[in-house]
Every structure is written in C-alpha cells, then in structure tokens.
Amino acid sequence: RGGQSLTSTGHTPSNAPQDMPGLLYLKGTLLAHVHPVVHEDTLVLLCRALLQQVSLQPISDIHVTGESEDMSAKERLLLWSQQTTEGYAGIRCENFTTCWRDGRLFNAIIHKYRPDLIDMNTVAVQSNLANLEHAFFVAEKLGVARLLDPEDVDVSSPDEKSVITYVSSLYDAFPKVPEGGEGISANDVEVKWVEYQNMVNYLMQWIRHHVTIMSDRTFPNNPVELKALYNQYLQFKETEIPPKETDKLKIKRLYKLLEVWIEFGRIRLPQGYHPNDIEKEWGKLIIAMLEREKILRPEVERLEMLQQIANRIQRDSRSCEDKLILARNALQADTKRLESGLQFQHEAEIAGYLLESENLLRQQVIDAQILIDGKYYQADQLVQRVAKLRDELMAIRTECSSLYSKGHSYVTGVDGGTLQTLKLMQIRKPLMKSAFVDQNLTEEEVNMKFVQDLLNWVEEMQVQLDRVEWGSDLPSVESHLENHKNVHKAIEEFESSLKEAKISEIQMTAPLKLSYAEKLHKLESQYSKLLNTSRNQERHLDTLYDFVSRATRELIWLNEKEEEEVAYDWSERNPNITRKKEYHAELMRELDQKEEVIKSVQEIAEQLLLENHPARLTIEAYRAAMQTQWSWILQLCHCVEQHLRENAAYFEFFSDAKEAMEYLKNLKDAIYRKYSCDRSSSLHRLEDLVQESMEEKEQLLQYKSTVAGLVGRAKAIIQLKPRNPDCILKTSIPIKAICDYRQIEVRNLNFLKSITDVRAQLKFH
C-alpha cells in the first residue's frame, strides 16, 4: 500500500475475532481486491506470512552479551533466548521450532521480565495450548502484537520464521541494558530494587530524625554547653551533610536505572519512594538547619556577652571585697587607738577605700540587672554576692559615722534608688524545716525555730513592700513592675512553707504547743496581710504602667510634632504656598484625631487620682506635662496659621510688584522707541506725537494708584529673608512674639529626661 505501515489500524468490525488489528485491516484490504472465491482462511494465512516477513526486518538490531561479530541476527536472537531462560528447570532452547511448541519458553521469557504475571509452577502442569494462549495473552497486555495463535505453534514442526518474528517482538518490547551504557539486567532487578529501598529507607529515617533534632528550640542557658551545642551543629553541617548528599545522588542515579523497569511494570514504586519525595524531606532538613542556626548563633553571642559581664562582676567583686577588708582593718585599728586615747590615723584612707568600693558596686548593680534581664543562669548567685558587698559597705559606713562623727562623709556614692533596686533583686527564700534539724534539738524545738524563721521572713517582706517605689518614668516603672512580679511569685510560693508549719502543729505538745499555736496564728495573719499588700501593689503597678506607657507615647507624638513645626522652613527659600497649606491642613486633621486619644489618657489620670493611687506624684506630673504640651501645640498651630497668612501676603506682594515693574519697564522702552524725532520730522507727525503722549500720560496717572497701593502694602509685609540662615543680618530688626510658647521648659521636666531613649524603644517594639 505505497509504503504505508501494514500494522496501521483501520476500522475493526464488531464481530471480528480476537486477533491483531493490523491483521484484520490487511485481511479486509485483500478481500476487497482479490477474487471472491478465495477462502478467508487462506487470506489469514497469507496476511500472517506477509506480516512475519515484514517483522523479520528489525532482528538484525539485536545485541546480546557474548555474541561474536560473525553471528547472524537469528543466532543472536537464539543466544538471547538461551540467556534469558537459563536456569529454568526442564526448559531448553536449541532452535526456533520444536523447543517452542509446549509454550514454556514463551512463558519463561515473560516470567524473566515480569515474574508477577506468570506462575511457572502452573506452566509446568498445563497443556501446550493453555501455555501458549496464556503467554500470548500476557505478552499482548505488555504491548506485543499477537502474531501467532496457539494452534500455529502446537504442531509437530512450528513455522521457524513465525516463531523468530514473535520472539523478536518480545525482544523489542522488553527492557534491555543499552550497549556500552549503564543499565540493570532482568537478573539484577530484584537485587537493585532491594538495594534502592534500603538506601531510601535509611536516608529518609536519618533525615526525619535530624529534622526533629534541628527543630528543637530548647537551648541550655550555660554558655559553655550552648557553645558546645553550636559546635556540634557546625560539625554536623560540615561532616555529616556532604556524605548524605552523596547518598542522595546515588539514590537518584539508581532510580534512573530502575525507571525503565518501573515504567515496564516490573517494579511498583510505593508512595514516598520517589527521589522527589527524598528532595522534599531534604528541603525540610535544610530549612530546619537554617532556622536553628539563625536562632542558635545570636543566642551564643548573647550568652558570651553575658558571660563576659558575669566575669567582670566576679573580678570587680573580688576587688571590692579586698578594699572592704582593708577598710575594715583600718577601722578596727582606729577603734583601738580611740580606746587607747590616741588620735585617728586612717580616716582619709578608709574614705578612699569606701569611695572606690562604691564606684565598683555601682557598676556591679548595672551589670547584675543586665544579667537578670538576660536570664543568665548564674544571675541569682551573682546578685546575692553583690547584695552581700552592699550590706558590708553599709555596715562599715554606719560604723565610720559613729566613730568619726562625720556621717555625711560616708553616705554619698551609691544612691538610694540603686540600693532599692538591689534590695528588690535579692529575695531571701525562707529556710526549709530540714535546715534546723540538729542532733542537740528536739523535734518541737526545730518546729519553733522553723515557724519563727517564717514569721521573720514575712515581716522582712512586709517592710520591703511598705518601702516600695513606683518610678517617675516609663523605664523605672517597668523595672519596678518586673521586680515586684518576682517578689509576688516568692510570696505566693511561701504558702507551701505555711502548710508545712501547719502540719508540724500536730507534733507539738505542752508546754510549747500554746506558744507554737500563737506564732502560727500570727504567721497566718501576717501572711494574709502581706499577700493582700502584694496583690494591691501589683494592681497599682499594672495600672500605673498602662497609664505611663500611653501617656509617654502621646508625649512623644506631641514632642515630634513640636519639633517638626519648630524646624519647618517658613523662609523665602520655600515659596511653595500650596504645599504649606497642605501641611497646615494635614496638621489640623492629625490634631483632631489625636485630641480624643489624649483626652482619654487624661481621663485615666483623673480616675487614678480619684482612686487615691499611691503614685500620685508621677501621675500628676504626666498629666501636667500632657496639658502643657497640648497647649503648646495649639499655640504653635496659631503660629502656623499666622505664618501661612504672612507667607501668602509676602509672595502675592512680590508677584504683583514684579508684574508692575515689568509693565513700567516695557512702557519706558516703548516711549523711548516711539518718541524719537529729528530735524527732518514733519510738523504733522510732531503734533500726532504730542497728542499720543497726552493719552499715555493719562494712563500713567491712572497706574499711579496701583503703585501707591503696592507702596502701602509693602509697609505691612513681614520680611521672610531674615529667617533664612544664609542671610547675614547687618542691623538689628524688631521681632514680634505670636504666642507664649517657650520650648526650653519642656526640656526641664524631670520625668522626660529619657524621652529620646523611650521613643527609640517604642519605635523598636
């Protein structure tokens, strides 16, 4: 048919036998062109013969291991069949005729490539026709055309060419290792597939295990342990990741070799075993590693910084201890001299030691607060050490004041606020009952000492709360709030000690039982009072912090607007009146919106004062500051309106003046050109010029009123040029105050000293 493929599919009748479509098409074509008396079976045999001849053409492309150059295509195909069926019991492949009659060879070849589709035990007991039919049926499902029928092969001498044609079709349909390239033979598929699964399973388990590790965000507070953890991460990144990347590449290469068998159907790829699945899990690991490093590295740097501060506290504490020891020894020497009636010798020396100790202690207080804020793991121990030095310093001061009668010389240095901060930072925990156990004390005496210590602790904490400070600005209020939370937590935890004391009451007997009961009752009463005091102070600090936070935020906004207006350029360098009007309109809109907010903050202040809030001074100071700032902003708005009117008048005047000057200049030039004459000018022309000059004189007289108006306006124009810093004033000029605004006063308010720092903190948050 003119080169057209004989296996092209035409129209297949619905009642056609289950045979190859190409055969039906070819048979139908021949029936349409041959004599009607030719039997249909004869045509089928003829068609098969034609197709077999055509199908014999590609077997010359067969390549098989162990072939020689002088082998024919038929011999190579036979060698391939022998190698494929090698090892199958009772199966021999010596030719393309009788060896294929029972169908076992066909089934063995298919079984070699698709063992899941052929049961060789069943093949061993089936009939020839059954084996042939099953082999041809399965092969057809794999894409091999049914060129043969079982009846064609189950004969005493099957047609060799037909068998060769069909076997070559099997060869073409089944996967093969490319010549000179990488591939997996049918014998090695199972082994390689098991190897692939093992590699994938191991790598996926390894990845998921380390994703869990890398996702852990629980880091130690100890700088040494954290540094070791970070080094462990770096070692993992540098030594363990590269080999696993190599394993991942090996898996990908092995999958490429197995892919042909997966597509062929020999292997069923389970879900999650594709290289892309591995890449997804690998990506999760890399992201977890990056996130871990992103958090771990700054944490290491932070703890290293805190470690340096802790080392500095240790160093300064040792130095401070040494100086206090020297001061104590000198004080004792002067005490002995006083007892002996001699003059003092070490007063100035002691004063120097105390001053140096105060300076060291002041820095230690700052450093200790940094460690507490940073939750450094040894912060409590260092705070206790600093507090102990403070107590020693205060004790020596007291003794010096008593000895030398010059107390004022020894009370300077560390201020009360610093000492109060230290006092709040140091919270002595009540002793456990086990701390009083002594072989020389009875159980009842231990209980008495225990309940007395608890009572002392409650009284100490009550004194601390009664002396509490509230703070005068946002940072100090926040600091006091955080400190009180720690105190309140300790007070709440004290309840467990109180329960232990109640249990111990059962063990008491006369005569100590009554005394113990009285102390226990007093302890319960004092603790209830302490707990209520602590709760009230926490509530007051919370409300104060909320108010100061909002007030500070509004004061910063007002301060920024104030600075923006004070710095605004109203000079002649900025002639854009439209932009200035827009600026004024925007400012008024912002003030309208802000007025309600500021009013609500003021109402909070009024409510707190009505409730007799203990931080009255701080609240009143903030309320007064907001009122002052708001008043100043309103006055500045009045200035803005005044500046806007003066600017508009200024630029409008100079525009009109410029227009008038241009008009007069043009008129002057026109007169010079128009009124020119000489001796040759006629009398008639001179008369015309005189007449025209009278008319122009009339126009000039009329324009004189315009010029006079400009002169009058000039007296009321406010000069803008002196406002330009580039303009050097050679003479003094009068200045008129538009409002009572005095910028210097806001800078003198004590609670706004740190306004810049607070503003930076708020912007950061």
Side-chain angles (χ1 to χ4, degrees):
R1 295 291 308 265
Q4 183 179 359
S5 171
L6 293 176
T7 58
S8 301
T9 305
H11 175 68
T12 304
S14 59
N15 60 350
Q18 295 299 317
D19 209 335
M20 116 178 224
L23 180 62
L24 291 174
Y25 175 76
L26 186 59
K27 182 180 72 175
T29 304
L30 290 175
L31 283 173
H33 292 82
V34 300
H35 198 277
V37 299
V38 179
H39 196 273
E40 184 175 343
D41 292 341
T42 305
L43 288 177
V44 170
L45 292 175
L46 176 60
C47 292
R48 282 207 175 102
L50 288 172
L51 288 173
Q52 290 167 5
Q53 293 298 323
V54 173
S55 300
L56 280 173
Q57 303 304 319
I59 70 172
S60 60
D61 296 332
I62 294 175
H63 301 282
V64 63
T65 305
E67 68 179 39
S68 60
E69 295 181 358
D70 57 349
M71 291 180 69
S72 64
K74 173 183 174 182
E75 292 171 337
R76 291 197 296 272
L77 186 62
L78 183 62
L79 179 60
W80 173 78
S81 302
Q82 292 170 347
Q83 292 178 352
T84 303
T85 57
E86 184 178 359
Y88 285 88
I91 296 178
R92 298 176 60 189
C93 181
E94 299 175 347
N95 54 48
F96 283 111
T97 55
T98 56
C99 292
W100 302 82
R101 179 179 177 182
D102 58 4
R104 293 187 179 185
L105 269 172
F106 291 111
N107 281 282
I109 291 174
I110 298 173
H111 181 269
K112 188 70 173 181
Y113 289 91
R114 288 295 300 272
D116 57 313
L117 300 179
I118 301 292
D119 183 1
M120 293 305 296
N121 293 327
T122 303
V123 170
V125 298
Q126 283 187 153
S127 65
N128 294 355
L129 289 175
N131 284 339
L132 289 168
E133 174 59 32
H134 185 59
F136 296 157
F137 173 75
V138 173
E140 192 171 18
K141 287 171 52 177
L142 297 175
V144 180
R146 184 189 281 261
L147 299 177
L148 299 174
D149 284 333
E151 294 80 3
D152 298 333
V153 183
D154 188 19
V155 294
S156 57
S157 180
D159 181 66
E160 184 181 44
K161 291 184 178 180
S162 298
V163 174
I164 290 174
T165 301
Y166 190 77
V167 175
S168 68
S169 299
L170 291 175
Y171 174 85
D172 292 336
F174 292 162
K176 296 166 288 296
V177 178
E179 185 179 10
E182 290 185 332
I184 299 175
S185 64
N187 295 327
D188 299 331
V189 171
E190 300 300 332
V191 176
K192 293 296 183 182
W193 174 235
V194 172
E195 179 185 353
Y196 177 82
Q197 292 181 91
N198 291 337
M199 292 176 66
V200 171
N201 287 332
Y202 173 75
L203 184 58
M204 292 289 268
Q205 290 175 5
W206 184 89
I207 291 174
R208 287 165 182 163
H209 172 68
H210 284 90
V211 165
T212 303
I213 294 176
M214 294 299 156
S215 300
D216 184 17
R217 296 294 180 264
T218 305
F219 301 141
N221 289 329
N222 190 319
V224 177
E225 296 177 1
L226 187 66
K227 184 67 174 179
L229 184 66
Y230 183 61
N231 290 334
Q232 180 183 353
Y233 165 80
L234 293 178
Q235 185 179 7
F236 170 80
K237 181 179 178 181
E238 295 171 0
T239 61
E240 296 193 41
I241 288 295
K244 291 302 180 286
E245 287 183 331
T246 303
D247 292 345
K248 186 161 60 75
L249 292 176
K250 289 180 181 178
I251 291 174
K252 189 176 293 186
R253 285 196 296 268
L254 185 56
Y255 176 82
K256 285 294 182 183
L257 300 178
L258 290 169
E259 192 171 17
V260 62
W261 294 101
I262 295 172
E263 294 175 353
F264 182 64
R266 172 73 175 269
I267 298 172
R268 292 183 180 179
L269 187 69
Q271 185 177 2
Y273 277 76
H274 195 278
N276 291 343
D277 299 319
I278 300 176
E279 289 294 343
K280 289 180 182 178
E281 295 298 321
W282 186 263
K284 294 178 182 178
L285 174 61
I286 298 302
I287 292 174
M289 288 176 60
L290 293 175
E291 291 294 331
R292 185 177 181 83
E293 184 173 6
K294 182 180 178 182
I295 298 174
L296 194 55
R297 182 186 297 174
E299 186 66 12
V300 170
E301 295 174 353
R302 186 184 72 85
L303 282 187
E304 286 180 346
M305 182 269 291
L306 294 179
Q307 180 68 54
Q308 293 175 2
I309 294 175
N311 294 337
R312 185 168 64 201
I313 291 179
Q314 296 277 16
R315 183 182 66 251
D316 291 349
S317 295
R318 288 192 295 268
S319 178
C320 189
E321 287 170 355
D322 293 340
K323 295 183 184 306
L324 290 177
I325 290 173
L326 293 174
R328 172 68 66 182
N329 294 337
L331 182 61
Q332 291 175 354
D334 271 1
T335 302
K336 292 179 179 179
R337 291 182 66 85
L338 178 63
E339 293 173 353
S340 302
L342 301 177
Q343 292 292 327
F344 301 127
Q345 287 185 342
H346 306 293
E347 183 178 3
E349 181 182 353
I350 294 173
Y353 289 145
L354 294 182
L355 181 60
E356 292 176 0
S357 299
E358 289 170 358
N359 293 333
L360 290 171
L361 190 59
R362 185 181 296 107
Q363 182 60 46
Q364 290 177 66
V365 170
I366 297 173
D367 291 342
Q369 187 62 51
I370 295 174
L371 296 183
I372 291 174
D373 295 340
K375 294 180 173 55
Y376 186 68
Y377 77 112
Q378 290 183 334
D380 291 340
Q381 297 91 315
L382 294 173
V383 166
Q384 291 176 7
R385 185 172 184 179
V386 173
K388 185 177 180 181
L389 290 173
R390 178 211 63 193
D391 294 341
E392 178 66 14
L393 175 63
M394 297 296 292
I396 296 177
R397 277 182 179 174
T398 303
E399 293 179 22
C400 288
S401 299
S402 175
L403 181 64
Y404 301 117
S405 299
K406 295 179 181 178
H408 61 277
S409 300
Y410 303 95
V411 296
T412 57
V414 182
D415 56 54
T418 302
L419 295 178
Q420 179 66 17
T421 302
L422 259 180
K423 196 170 184 180
L424 285 174
M425 283 160 38
Q426 183 191 18
I427 303 173
R428 182 181 75 83
K429 294 184 179 180
L431 296 176
M432 301 295 293
K433 181 179 176 180
S434 58
F436 297 95
V437 176
D438 193 324
Q439 294 179 353
N440 299 324
L441 296 177
T442 64
E443 183 69 22
E444 292 182 341
E445 290 174 337
V446 169
N447 291 338
M448 290 297 293
K449 280 184 171 290
F450 177 54
V451 73
Q452 183 61 48
D453 182 74
L454 296 182
L455 189 58
N456 293 339
W457 186 89
V458 171
E459 291 174 351
E460 289 175 8
M461 296 304 295
Q462 186 66 51
V463 171
Q464 283 197 26
L465 294 185
D466 292 340
R467 296 176 180 176
V468 70
E469 295 183 5
W470 302 98
S472 58
D473 54 15
L474 182 58
S476 62
V477 172
E478 185 177 11
S479 176
H480 285 297
L481 177 59
E482 291 299 321
N483 283 329
H484 184 76
K485 286 181 179 179
N486 296 329
V487 173
H488 187 70
K489 181 179 179 182
I491 293 174
E492 288 181 330
E493 292 174 351
F494 178 82
E495 190 172 357
S496 60
S497 299
L498 181 61
K499 290 180 180 178
E500 187 177 4
K502 289 181 179 179
I503 294 173
S504 300
E505 185 179 12
I506 303 173
Q507 304 170 356
M508 302 301 295
T509 59
L512 296 178
K513 184 176 180 65
L514 181 60
S515 177
Y516 187 89
E518 292 176 354
K519 288 183 178 293
L520 184 60
H521 177 71
K522 183 178 180 181
L523 175 63
E524 291 178 341
S525 175
Q526 295 282 13
Y527 176 68
S528 177
K529 176 184 176 183
L530 177 67
L531 190 59
N532 289 332
T533 303
S534 179
R535 287 171 178 168
N536 290 333
Q537 287 191 1
E538 185 172 18
R539 176 172 57 84
H540 289 318
L541 281 168
D542 281 331
T543 55
L544 178 64
Y545 177 75
D546 178 66
F547 165 72
V548 172
S549 298
R550 297 180 63 178
T552 301
R553 189 176 294 108
E554 302 311 320
L555 284 170
I556 289 174
W557 186 88
L558 292 170
N559 186 58
E560 288 176 345
K561 285 299 171 185
E562 171 196 340
E563 292 177 353
E564 180 181 341
E565 161 50 26
V566 170
Y568 194 83
D569 187 5
W570 291 98
S571 72
E572 44 87 26
R573 293 184 305 177
N574 184 11
N576 192 339
I577 289 295
T578 302
R579 179 67 191 94
K580 291 179 178 179
K581 290 180 179 179
E582 292 174 355
Y583 163 75
H584 176 254
E586 179 65 23
L587 176 61
M588 298 308 296
R589 280 195 299 270
E590 291 180 350
L591 289 176
D592 287 340
Q593 296 172 359
K594 187 61 66 173
E595 185 175 10
E596 291 298 323
V597 178
I598 292 178
K599 183 179 179 181
S600 65
V601 178
Q602 293 281 47
E603 290 174 353
I604 293 175
E606 295 293 340
Q607 184 63 33
L608 292 176
L609 293 175
L610 287 175
E611 295 172 358
N612 294 321
H613 195 284
R616 170 177 291 273
L617 294 178
T618 301
I619 297 171
E620 289 178 343
Y622 269 92
R623 182 183 64 173
M626 293 180 66
Q627 291 173 347
T628 302
Q629 283 285 82
W630 182 254
S631 174
W632 288 343
I633 283 293
L634 295 180
Q635 292 189 55
L636 288 175
C637 289
H638 173 68
C639 295
V640 170
E641 295 174 357
Q642 185 74 11
H643 292 328
L644 194 60
R645 288 193 297 270
E646 292 170 355
N647 269 236
Y650 177 89
F651 289 109
E652 183 181 358
F653 167 78
F654 277 99
S655 176
D656 293 345
K658 182 179 178 182
E659 183 180 350
M661 292 212 31
E662 289 178 353
Y663 170 78
L664 293 174
K665 184 177 179 301
N666 293 334
L667 183 60
K668 179 180 177 182
D669 293 341
I671 290 173
Y672 277 131
R673 289 194 305 272
K674 185 175 182 181
Y675 298 101
S676 61
C677 59
D678 52 23
R679 295 180 179 180
S680 60
S681 300
S682 63
L683 179 61
H684 180 70
R685 171 166 174 73
L686 293 174
E687 290 176 348
D688 291 339
L689 289 175
V690 171
Q691 183 62 34
E692 292 177 4
S693 67
M694 296 301 293
E695 295 174 358
E696 290 177 349
K697 180 180 179 181
E698 185 65 25
Q699 292 178 5
L700 281 173
L701 290 175
Q702 293 178 358
Y703 200 75
K704 183 177 181 180
S705 61
T706 302
V707 175
L710 288 172
V711 172
R713 287 167 58 189
K715 297 177 181 179
I717 297 298
I718 303 298
Q719 298 186 48
L720 299 185
K721 193 171 184 179
R723 301 187 185 192
N724 189 338
D726 299 332
C727 176
I728 300 176
L729 297 178
K730 297 180 180 180
T731 59
S732 60
I733 59 174
I735 295 178
K736 177 184 177 182
I738 303 176
C739 67
D740 295 332
Y741 168 80
R742 287 179 291 175
Q743 187 183 26
I744 192 65
E745 290 189 13
V746 73
R747 304 295 179 251
N748 292 332
L749 292 173
N750 293 329
F751 60 91
L752 288 178
K753 287 181 180 179
S754 59
I755 194 74
T756 305
D757 295 336
V758 175
R759 182 192 310 172
Q761 293 175 13
L762 289 176
K763 287 184 177 179
F764 174 78
H765 290 300

